[in-house]
Short mmCIF file of all heavy atoms in Angstrom, two decimals:
data_model
loop_
_atom_site.label_atom_id
_atom_site.label_comp_id
_atom_site.label_asym_id
_atom_site.label_seq_id
_atom_site.Cartn_x
_atom_site.Cartn_y
_atom_site.Cartn_z
N VAL A 108 -0.81 14.25 16.61
CA VAL A 108 -1.04 12.82 16.45
C VAL A 108 -1.83 12.55 15.16
O VAL A 108 -1.54 11.61 14.42
CB VAL A 108 -1.78 12.23 17.67
CG1 VAL A 108 -2.21 10.79 17.41
CG2 VAL A 108 -0.88 12.30 18.90
N ARG A 109 -2.83 13.40 14.89
CA ARG A 109 -3.61 13.22 13.66
C ARG A 109 -2.72 13.42 12.43
O ARG A 109 -2.85 12.70 11.44
CB ARG A 109 -4.78 14.19 13.63
CG ARG A 109 -5.88 13.89 14.64
CD ARG A 109 -7.21 14.51 14.22
NE ARG A 109 -7.11 15.94 13.97
CZ ARG A 109 -7.25 16.88 14.90
NH1 ARG A 109 -7.50 16.53 16.16
NH2 ARG A 109 -7.15 18.17 14.59
N ARG A 110 -1.83 14.39 12.49
CA ARG A 110 -0.93 14.63 11.36
C ARG A 110 0.05 13.47 11.18
O ARG A 110 0.39 13.09 10.05
CB ARG A 110 -0.16 15.94 11.56
CG ARG A 110 -1.08 17.16 11.50
CD ARG A 110 -0.35 18.42 11.92
NE ARG A 110 0.64 18.83 10.93
CZ ARG A 110 1.52 19.81 11.13
NH1 ARG A 110 1.54 20.45 12.29
NH2 ARG A 110 2.38 20.14 10.19
N ILE A 111 0.50 12.90 12.28
CA ILE A 111 1.37 11.72 12.21
C ILE A 111 0.62 10.56 11.57
O ILE A 111 1.16 9.83 10.72
CB ILE A 111 1.90 11.34 13.61
CG1 ILE A 111 2.91 12.40 14.09
CG2 ILE A 111 2.54 9.96 13.60
CD1 ILE A 111 3.39 12.20 15.52
N ALA A 112 -0.65 10.37 11.97
CA ALA A 112 -1.46 9.29 11.39
C ALA A 112 -1.63 9.50 9.88
O ALA A 112 -1.54 8.54 9.10
CB ALA A 112 -2.82 9.24 12.09
N ASP A 113 -1.86 10.75 9.46
CA ASP A 113 -1.99 11.04 8.03
C ASP A 113 -0.68 10.74 7.29
O ASP A 113 -0.69 10.21 6.17
CB ASP A 113 -2.37 12.51 7.82
CG ASP A 113 -3.81 12.80 8.24
OD1 ASP A 113 -4.60 11.85 8.36
OD2 ASP A 113 -4.12 13.99 8.45
N TYR A 114 0.43 11.10 7.93
CA TYR A 114 1.74 10.83 7.32
C TYR A 114 1.96 9.34 7.13
O TYR A 114 2.41 8.89 6.06
CB TYR A 114 2.84 11.43 8.21
CG TYR A 114 4.23 10.90 7.93
CD1 TYR A 114 4.95 11.31 6.81
CD2 TYR A 114 4.81 9.95 8.78
CE1 TYR A 114 6.22 10.81 6.55
CE2 TYR A 114 6.07 9.45 8.53
CZ TYR A 114 6.78 9.87 7.42
OH TYR A 114 8.02 9.36 7.16
N ILE A 115 1.64 8.56 8.15
CA ILE A 115 1.82 7.10 8.07
C ILE A 115 0.95 6.51 6.97
O ILE A 115 1.41 5.69 6.16
CB ILE A 115 1.49 6.45 9.43
CG1 ILE A 115 2.54 6.88 10.48
CG2 ILE A 115 1.46 4.93 9.32
CD1 ILE A 115 2.18 6.48 11.90
N ALA A 116 -0.32 6.96 6.90
CA ALA A 116 -1.22 6.45 5.86
C ALA A 116 -0.69 6.78 4.46
O ALA A 116 -0.73 5.95 3.54
CB ALA A 116 -2.61 7.04 6.05
N LYS A 117 -0.17 8.01 4.29
CA LYS A 117 0.36 8.40 2.98
C LYS A 117 1.58 7.57 2.61
O LYS A 117 1.74 7.13 1.46
CB LYS A 117 0.72 9.88 2.98
CG LYS A 117 1.19 10.38 1.60
CD LYS A 117 1.54 11.85 1.61
CE LYS A 117 1.88 12.34 0.20
NZ LYS A 117 2.97 11.54 -0.42
N LYS A 118 2.47 7.34 3.57
CA LYS A 118 3.66 6.52 3.29
C LYS A 118 3.27 5.10 2.90
O LYS A 118 3.89 4.50 2.02
CB LYS A 118 4.57 6.51 4.53
CG LYS A 118 5.28 7.83 4.80
CD LYS A 118 6.33 8.14 3.75
CE LYS A 118 7.53 7.23 3.84
NZ LYS A 118 8.60 7.59 2.90
N VAL A 119 2.26 4.55 3.56
CA VAL A 119 1.79 3.21 3.22
C VAL A 119 1.23 3.21 1.80
O VAL A 119 1.52 2.32 0.99
CB VAL A 119 0.73 2.73 4.23
CG1 VAL A 119 0.03 1.47 3.73
CG2 VAL A 119 1.38 2.45 5.59
N GLY A 120 0.42 4.23 1.48
CA GLY A 120 -0.14 4.32 0.12
C GLY A 120 0.95 4.45 -0.93
O GLY A 120 0.89 3.82 -1.99
N ASP A 121 1.96 5.28 -0.65
CA ASP A 121 3.08 5.44 -1.59
C ASP A 121 3.81 4.13 -1.82
O ASP A 121 4.20 3.81 -2.95
CB ASP A 121 4.06 6.49 -1.06
CG ASP A 121 3.50 7.90 -1.12
OD1 ASP A 121 2.53 8.12 -1.85
OD2 ASP A 121 4.05 8.78 -0.42
N ARG A 122 3.99 3.37 -0.74
CA ARG A 122 4.72 2.09 -0.86
C ARG A 122 3.93 1.10 -1.71
O ARG A 122 4.50 0.37 -2.52
CB ARG A 122 4.97 1.52 0.54
CG ARG A 122 5.70 0.18 0.53
CD ARG A 122 7.14 0.35 0.08
NE ARG A 122 7.86 -0.92 0.11
CZ ARG A 122 8.00 -1.72 -0.95
NH1 ARG A 122 7.48 -1.37 -2.12
NH2 ARG A 122 8.66 -2.85 -0.85
N LEU A 123 2.61 1.07 -1.54
CA LEU A 123 1.78 0.17 -2.32
C LEU A 123 1.80 0.55 -3.80
O LEU A 123 1.90 -0.31 -4.68
CB LEU A 123 0.35 0.19 -1.79
CG LEU A 123 0.14 -0.44 -0.40
CD1 LEU A 123 -1.25 -0.14 0.12
CD2 LEU A 123 0.37 -1.95 -0.45
N LYS A 124 1.73 1.84 -4.07
CA LYS A 124 1.78 2.29 -5.47
C LYS A 124 3.12 1.97 -6.10
O LYS A 124 3.21 1.60 -7.28
CB LYS A 124 1.49 3.79 -5.53
CG LYS A 124 0.04 4.15 -5.22
CD LYS A 124 -0.16 5.63 -5.02
CE LYS A 124 0.00 6.42 -6.28
NZ LYS A 124 -0.31 7.86 -6.08
N GLU A 125 4.18 2.12 -5.31
CA GLU A 125 5.52 1.79 -5.80
C GLU A 125 5.61 0.31 -6.16
O GLU A 125 6.15 -0.06 -7.21
CB GLU A 125 6.54 2.14 -4.72
CG GLU A 125 7.97 1.77 -5.08
CD GLU A 125 8.92 1.93 -3.89
OE1 GLU A 125 8.44 2.14 -2.76
OE2 GLU A 125 10.13 1.82 -4.10
N LEU A 126 5.07 -0.55 -5.31
CA LEU A 126 5.11 -1.98 -5.59
C LEU A 126 4.27 -2.31 -6.83
O LEU A 126 4.69 -3.12 -7.67
CB LEU A 126 4.58 -2.76 -4.38
CG LEU A 126 4.65 -4.28 -4.48
CD1 LEU A 126 6.10 -4.75 -4.49
CD2 LEU A 126 3.91 -4.94 -3.32
N TYR A 127 3.11 -1.69 -6.94
CA TYR A 127 2.23 -1.93 -8.10
C TYR A 127 2.94 -1.53 -9.39
O TYR A 127 2.83 -2.22 -10.42
CB TYR A 127 0.94 -1.14 -7.93
CG TYR A 127 -0.06 -1.33 -9.05
CD1 TYR A 127 -0.89 -2.45 -9.08
CD2 TYR A 127 -0.20 -0.38 -10.06
CE1 TYR A 127 -1.82 -2.62 -10.10
CE2 TYR A 127 -1.12 -0.54 -11.08
CZ TYR A 127 -1.93 -1.67 -11.08
OH TYR A 127 -2.85 -1.84 -12.10
N ARG A 128 3.67 -0.44 -9.33
CA ARG A 128 4.36 0.07 -10.52
C ARG A 128 5.61 -0.75 -10.85
O ARG A 128 5.85 -1.07 -12.03
CB ARG A 128 4.75 1.53 -10.28
CG ARG A 128 5.45 2.19 -11.46
CD ARG A 128 5.96 3.57 -11.09
NE ARG A 128 7.06 3.49 -10.13
CZ ARG A 128 7.04 4.07 -8.94
NH1 ARG A 128 5.97 4.76 -8.54
NH2 ARG A 128 8.08 3.97 -8.12
N ASP A 129 6.39 -1.11 -9.83
CA ASP A 129 7.71 -1.69 -10.08
C ASP A 129 7.74 -3.21 -10.04
O ASP A 129 8.64 -3.83 -10.61
CB ASP A 129 8.72 -1.14 -9.06
CG ASP A 129 8.89 0.36 -9.16
OD1 ASP A 129 8.56 0.92 -10.23
OD2 ASP A 129 9.34 0.98 -8.18
N ASP A 130 6.81 -3.83 -9.33
CA ASP A 130 6.83 -5.29 -9.19
C ASP A 130 5.39 -5.80 -9.15
O ASP A 130 4.90 -6.25 -8.13
CB ASP A 130 7.59 -5.69 -7.91
CG ASP A 130 7.87 -7.18 -7.85
OD1 ASP A 130 7.40 -7.92 -8.74
OD2 ASP A 130 8.55 -7.62 -6.90
N ARG A 131 4.73 -5.70 -10.31
CA ARG A 131 3.31 -6.05 -10.38
C ARG A 131 3.05 -7.49 -9.95
O ARG A 131 2.05 -7.75 -9.28
CB ARG A 131 2.81 -5.84 -11.82
CG ARG A 131 1.30 -6.07 -12.02
CD ARG A 131 0.49 -4.93 -11.49
NE ARG A 131 0.92 -3.66 -12.03
CZ ARG A 131 0.55 -3.18 -13.23
NH1 ARG A 131 -0.26 -3.88 -13.99
NH2 ARG A 131 0.99 -2.01 -13.65
N GLU A 132 3.92 -8.38 -10.29
CA GLU A 132 3.69 -9.78 -9.95
C GLU A 132 3.64 -9.98 -8.43
O GLU A 132 2.77 -10.68 -7.91
CB GLU A 132 4.78 -10.67 -10.55
CG GLU A 132 4.53 -12.16 -10.28
CD GLU A 132 5.54 -13.05 -10.98
OE1 GLU A 132 6.17 -12.60 -11.96
OE2 GLU A 132 5.69 -14.20 -10.55
N SER A 133 4.57 -9.34 -7.70
CA SER A 133 4.55 -9.45 -6.24
C SER A 133 3.29 -8.81 -5.67
O SER A 133 2.68 -9.33 -4.72
CB SER A 133 5.78 -8.77 -5.64
OG SER A 133 6.96 -9.46 -5.99
N TYR A 134 2.87 -7.70 -6.25
CA TYR A 134 1.65 -7.02 -5.80
C TYR A 134 0.44 -7.93 -5.98
O TYR A 134 -0.36 -8.10 -5.06
CB TYR A 134 1.49 -5.73 -6.59
CG TYR A 134 0.32 -4.87 -6.15
CD1 TYR A 134 0.44 -3.97 -5.11
CD2 TYR A 134 -0.92 -4.96 -6.79
CE1 TYR A 134 -0.62 -3.16 -4.71
CE2 TYR A 134 -1.99 -4.17 -6.41
CZ TYR A 134 -1.83 -3.28 -5.37
OH TYR A 134 -2.90 -2.50 -4.97
N VAL A 135 0.33 -8.51 -7.17
CA VAL A 135 -0.80 -9.40 -7.46
C VAL A 135 -0.76 -10.63 -6.56
O VAL A 135 -1.78 -11.06 -6.01
CB VAL A 135 -0.79 -9.80 -8.95
CG1 VAL A 135 -1.83 -10.89 -9.22
CG2 VAL A 135 -1.05 -8.59 -9.83
N ARG A 136 0.43 -11.19 -6.38
CA ARG A 136 0.56 -12.40 -5.56
C ARG A 136 0.17 -12.12 -4.11
O ARG A 136 -0.34 -13.01 -3.42
CB ARG A 136 2.00 -12.91 -5.64
CG ARG A 136 2.20 -14.31 -5.06
CD ARG A 136 3.64 -14.74 -5.21
NE ARG A 136 4.03 -14.86 -6.58
CZ ARG A 136 3.78 -15.90 -7.36
NH1 ARG A 136 3.10 -16.93 -6.87
NH2 ARG A 136 4.18 -15.93 -8.62
N SER A 137 0.40 -10.92 -3.66
CA SER A 137 0.12 -10.57 -2.26
C SER A 137 -1.28 -9.99 -2.06
O SER A 137 -1.65 -9.66 -0.93
CB SER A 137 1.15 -9.54 -1.76
OG SER A 137 2.46 -10.01 -1.91
N TRP A 138 -2.05 -9.88 -3.14
CA TRP A 138 -3.30 -9.12 -3.05
C TRP A 138 -4.31 -9.71 -2.08
O TRP A 138 -5.08 -8.98 -1.45
CB TRP A 138 -3.93 -8.99 -4.43
CG TRP A 138 -5.19 -8.18 -4.38
CD1 TRP A 138 -6.47 -8.61 -4.53
CD2 TRP A 138 -5.29 -6.77 -4.11
NE1 TRP A 138 -7.36 -7.57 -4.39
CE2 TRP A 138 -6.66 -6.43 -4.12
CE3 TRP A 138 -4.35 -5.77 -3.85
CZ2 TRP A 138 -7.11 -5.13 -3.89
CZ3 TRP A 138 -4.80 -4.49 -3.62
CH2 TRP A 138 -6.16 -4.18 -3.64
N GLN A 139 -4.33 -11.02 -1.93
CA GLN A 139 -5.30 -11.62 -1.02
C GLN A 139 -5.16 -11.03 0.38
O GLN A 139 -6.15 -10.84 1.10
CB GLN A 139 -5.12 -13.14 -0.97
CG GLN A 139 -6.18 -13.83 -0.11
CD GLN A 139 -6.08 -15.34 -0.19
OE1 GLN A 139 -5.35 -15.88 -1.01
NE2 GLN A 139 -6.80 -16.03 0.67
N ASP A 140 -3.93 -10.72 0.80
CA ASP A 140 -3.71 -10.09 2.10
C ASP A 140 -3.71 -8.56 2.00
O ASP A 140 -4.33 -7.88 2.82
CB ASP A 140 -2.37 -10.56 2.68
CG ASP A 140 -2.38 -12.05 2.97
OD1 ASP A 140 -2.99 -12.45 3.96
OD2 ASP A 140 -1.77 -12.80 2.20
N LEU A 141 -3.04 -8.03 0.98
CA LEU A 141 -2.97 -6.58 0.84
C LEU A 141 -4.35 -5.97 0.61
O LEU A 141 -4.65 -4.87 1.07
CB LEU A 141 -2.07 -6.20 -0.34
CG LEU A 141 -0.57 -6.46 -0.21
CD1 LEU A 141 0.14 -5.98 -1.46
CD2 LEU A 141 -0.01 -5.76 1.01
N GLY A 142 -5.19 -6.70 -0.13
CA GLY A 142 -6.50 -6.17 -0.48
C GLY A 142 -7.33 -5.78 0.72
O GLY A 142 -8.08 -4.80 0.69
N THR A 143 -7.20 -6.53 1.81
CA THR A 143 -7.96 -6.21 3.01
C THR A 143 -7.56 -4.85 3.55
O THR A 143 -8.40 -4.02 3.91
CB THR A 143 -7.73 -7.29 4.09
OG1 THR A 143 -8.13 -8.55 3.57
CG2 THR A 143 -8.53 -6.98 5.34
N PHE A 144 -6.25 -4.57 3.61
CA PHE A 144 -5.77 -3.27 4.07
C PHE A 144 -6.27 -2.15 3.15
O PHE A 144 -6.78 -1.13 3.61
CB PHE A 144 -4.24 -3.24 4.09
CG PHE A 144 -3.61 -4.12 5.11
CD1 PHE A 144 -2.99 -5.29 4.75
CD2 PHE A 144 -3.62 -3.77 6.45
CE1 PHE A 144 -2.39 -6.11 5.69
CE2 PHE A 144 -3.02 -4.58 7.40
CZ PHE A 144 -2.41 -5.75 7.01
N VAL A 145 -6.09 -2.36 1.85
CA VAL A 145 -6.40 -1.31 0.89
C VAL A 145 -7.90 -1.00 0.89
O VAL A 145 -8.31 0.17 0.87
CB VAL A 145 -5.92 -1.71 -0.52
CG1 VAL A 145 -6.30 -0.66 -1.53
CG2 VAL A 145 -4.41 -1.93 -0.53
N LYS A 146 -8.72 -2.04 0.92
CA LYS A 146 -10.18 -1.81 0.90
C LYS A 146 -10.66 -1.20 2.21
O LYS A 146 -11.49 -0.28 2.21
CB LYS A 146 -10.89 -3.14 0.63
CG LYS A 146 -10.68 -3.66 -0.78
CD LYS A 146 -11.28 -5.05 -0.96
CE LYS A 146 -11.00 -5.59 -2.35
NZ LYS A 146 -11.51 -6.98 -2.52
N PHE A 147 -10.15 -1.71 3.31
CA PHE A 147 -10.53 -1.16 4.62
C PHE A 147 -10.12 0.30 4.71
O PHE A 147 -10.85 1.15 5.22
CB PHE A 147 -9.88 -1.99 5.73
CG PHE A 147 -10.46 -1.74 7.10
CD1 PHE A 147 -11.82 -1.59 7.29
CD2 PHE A 147 -9.63 -1.66 8.20
CE1 PHE A 147 -12.35 -1.36 8.55
CE2 PHE A 147 -10.14 -1.42 9.48
CZ PHE A 147 -11.51 -1.27 9.64
#
């Protein structure tokens, strides 16, 4: 279960980095909500 949790967290991080790299405007526009996840 811990390894599954680590896998999920990594996939979420990869998706955020992909959005930041490929669609910065959408990333910035969504930051008010995304920022809470990323900071937490």
Side-chain angles (χ1 to χ4, degrees):
V108 171
R109 290 202 306 272
R110 293 171 71 189
I111 290 174
D113 289 342
Y114 163 76
I115 293 170
K117 184 180 185 305
K118 289 291 290 185
V119 168
D121 288 343
R122 179 70 178 94
L123 291 170
K124 289 169 69 176
E125 177 189 10
L126 184 67
Y127 181 80
R128 181 187 69 238
D129 298 339
D130 191 355
R131 184 76 53 82
E132 184 175 340
S133 293
Y134 184 86
V135 171
R136 192 179 297 279
S137 304
W138 182 251
Q139 185 174 350
D140 296 285
L141 291 181
T143 301
F144 292 106
V145 177
K146 291 174 183 176
F147 194 41

